[in-house]
Amino acid sequence: MRNEAIEGGAAGSATNGRLDLAVLDQLYHKARTHNAFLDKEVPDALLKEAVELTVQGPTAANTLPFRVVFVRSAEAKERLKPTLSEGNLAKTMAAPVTAIVAYDRKFYDHLPRLFPHADAKAWFTGSEAFANATAQTNGTLQAGYFILALRALGLDAGPMAGFDNAKVDAEFFPDGQFKSNILVNIGYGDHEKLFPRSPRFAPEEVATIL
Amino acid sequence: MRNEAIEGGAAGSATNGRLDLAVLDQLYHKARTHNAFLDKEVPDALLKEAVELTVQGPTAANTLPFRVVFVRSAEAKERLKPTLSEGNLAKTMAAPVTAIVAYDRKFYDHLPRLFPHADAKAWFTGSEAFANATAQTNGTLQAGYFILALRALGLDAGPMAGFDNAKVDAEFFPDGQFKSNILVNIGYGDHEKLFPRSPRFAPEEVATIL
């Protein structure tokens, strides 16, 4: 390890500085996965803004395969109910909003507009397996951007893998074009109902510098 | 659409507020994928801090499968060189650091420590396919957290999919436990060498509220 201080890149260059510790805390260090939410409404405008932030993030060839359905109404929640695992059922039915994060297997139809400087559509139409892998990887990267966007807007998130993807797809995406990826409960978290934070790796355990 | 103002959740509750526009700009709106970087060193401490932030993000059952190798030295860059696609070759060899973002297929060996309140290891050891899918999905979510962590620390990122995964794995992860996922060039971006920003979807095009 070099002994240089941790620093941003602001001085005189066109680069950005390091964000304040309070921001890093809100996004990373003190942010928590929430299972219980306060009885406080989540404005539609905030959900839309979270999506607007999400689509700014980088994806391979600007493929942007992320799609999302926000399940808010009682009727829509009832449609989601039979797809949930036992452990996720009560908390998801009680959450103000549940996002079904999905990806579009036919994302390449939009590439003439999203990536106009090359015939990027042709890179994907020849191989369904390559197209699907691209949709899944980039849609999941965008799911990461989305979770942090919710936190950046002052919301709390409870992402979940415990649900029946095939049932969700049959109920919400019956034509097969979109595939569900993760669910995310959204609201203003009840901090009194948090579990203790689980341990994390030290950087040295998962990173190497060559 | 309801007509409520966009707002955070600070007032009187235990929740967070909305981050400043300058922060959202740095992370999302004005952040760009960089292909050219200034001749300015990236401290090891910042790379480690980006990893420290990354591992705070949520993963299913705290599986934390993200692993990363930072390729900085000339020798390590030469090992990476034959794995790069033509279009990514020159810029990657010139970047101050290139991160090989990977995931650990045997992440479950760490679960007795990372998720001590249940026998989570047993959920994954019975099915290699399920374990691999979990590693890939959650490692990719973490790749999203990582890209934004670099930006939050004042660095610029150039994520790439264009490389030969099998060659990277053979060269850097020969025992087969880790699988390469994406590459990310890292440094202080040269804003004068940016391409125009590609178009993005409007939220309404990719999001539905039910």
Side-chain angles (χ1 to χ4, degrees):
Chain A
M1 286 292 302
R2 288 182 191 74
N3 201 19
E4 290 161 284
I6 295 169
E7 50 148 20
S13 77
T15 54
N16 297 304
R18 173 193 178 78
L19 296 176
D20 291 343
L21 183 58
V23 172
L24 301 180
D25 279 350
Q26 178 166 334
L27 294 172
Y28 289 100
H29 288 295
K30 293 188 178 167
R32 298 292 311 279
T33 289
H34 282 263
N35 296 301
F37 296 91
L38 302 174
D39 182 18
K40 177 175 175 182
E41 193 170 17
V42 177
D44 282 358
L46 270 189
L47 300 176
K48 290 184 68 170
E49 193 179 8
V51 174
E52 194 185 4
L53 291 173
T54 300
V55 299
Q56 306 308 315
T59 51
N62 203 31
T63 40
L64 297 172
F66 170 95
R67 302 291 181 271
V68 62
V69 174
F70 293 106
V71 177
R72 181 206 283 285
S73 68
E75 304 96 290
K77 278 287 184 76
E78 284 300 320
R79 293 171 60 196
L80 189 61
K81 191 173 179 179
T83 74
L84 300 170
S85 71
E86 181 67 26
N88 290 332
L89 185 60
K91 68 181 181 185
T92 302
M93 292 305 286
V97 180
T98 303
I100 304 172
V101 172
Y103 54 84
D104 182 354
R105 288 151 52 102
K106 295 188 78 179
F107 64 88
Y108 44 76
D109 282 341
H110 301 280
L111 290 182
R113 171 181 152 213
L114 297 177
F115 198 76
H117 32 288
D119 181 14
K121 182 174 175 178
W123 302 343
F124 300 103
T125 49
S127 165
E128 192 175 342
F130 179 54
N132 284 345
T134 299
Q136 190 168 14
T137 295
N138 289 280
T140 307
L141 277 177
Q142 289 187 280
Y145 308 151
F146 174 67
I147 290 167
L148 294 188
L150 294 168
R151 292 175 171 181
L153 295 174
L155 290 163
D156 290 300
M160 297 175 287
F163 66 100
D164 187 323
N165 290 65
K167 279 189 189 168
V168 167
D169 294 348
E171 178 62 34
F172 291 92
F173 312 120
D175 73 2
Q177 183 175 337
F178 299 162
K179 290 289 175 189
S180 57
N181 192 356
I182 61 169
L183 301 181
V184 185
N185 287 333
I186 300 170
Y188 296 97
D190 185 344
H191 291 246
E192 292 181 5
K193 295 191 178 153
L194 283 170
F195 302 119
R197 191 177 179 82
S198 294
R200 293 299 196 274
F201 286 118
E204 297 79 9
E205 295 180 274
V206 296
T208 311
I209 302 180
L210 295 182
Chain B
M1 286 290 304
R2 286 182 192 76
N3 201 20
E4 290 161 283
I6 294 169
E7 50 145 21
S13 77
T15 55
N16 297 302
R18 171 193 178 80
L19 295 177
D20 291 343
L21 183 57
V23 171
L24 301 180
D25 279 350
Q26 178 165 333
L27 294 172
Y28 290 100
H29 288 295
K30 294 188 178 167
R32 298 293 311 280
T33 289
H34 282 264
N35 296 300
F37 296 90
L38 302 174
D39 183 17
K40 178 176 175 180
E41 193 170 16
V42 177
D44 282 358
L46 271 188
L47 300 176
K48 290 184 67 169
E49 193 179 8
V51 174
E52 194 185 3
L53 291 172
T54 300
V55 298
Q56 306 308 316
T59 51
N62 203 31
T63 40
L64 295 173
F66 170 94
R67 303 291 181 270
V68 62
V69 174
F70 292 106
V71 177
R72 180 205 284 283
S73 69
E75 304 96 290
K77 278 286 182 81
E78 284 300 320
R79 292 171 60 196
L80 188 61
K81 191 173 179 180
T83 73
L84 300 169
S85 71
E86 182 67 25
N88 289 332
L89 186 60
K91 69 181 181 185
T92 302
M93 293 305 286
V97 180
T98 304
I100 304 172
V101 172
Y103 54 84
D104 182 353
R105 289 152 50 101
K106 296 188 75 179
F107 65 87
Y108 45 75
D109 283 341
H110 301 279
L111 291 181
R113 171 182 152 211
L114 297 177
F115 199 76
H117 32 288
D119 182 13
K121 182 174 175 178
W123 304 342
F124 300 103
T125 50
S127 165
E128 194 176 339
F130 179 54
N132 284 344
T134 299
Q136 191 168 12
T137 295
N138 289 279
T140 306
L141 277 177
Q142 290 187 281
Y145 309 150
F146 175 66
I147 290 167
L148 294 187
L150 294 168
R151 292 175 171 181
L153 294 174
L155 291 163
D156 290 299
M160 297 174 287
F163 66 100
D164 186 323
N165 290 65
K167 279 189 189 168
V168 168
D169 294 348
E171 179 62 34
F172 290 92
F173 312 121
D175 73 2
Q177 182 175 339
F178 300 161
K179 291 288 176 189
S180 57
N181 191 354
I182 61 170
L183 301 181
V184 185
N185 286 333
I186 300 170
Y188 296 97
D190 185 344
H191 291 248
E192 294 181 3
K193 294 189 178 153
L194 282 170
F195 302 118
R197 190 177 179 83
S198 294
R200 294 299 198 271
F201 286 119
E204 297 79 10
E205 296 180 274
V206 295
T208 310
I209 303 179
L210 295 181

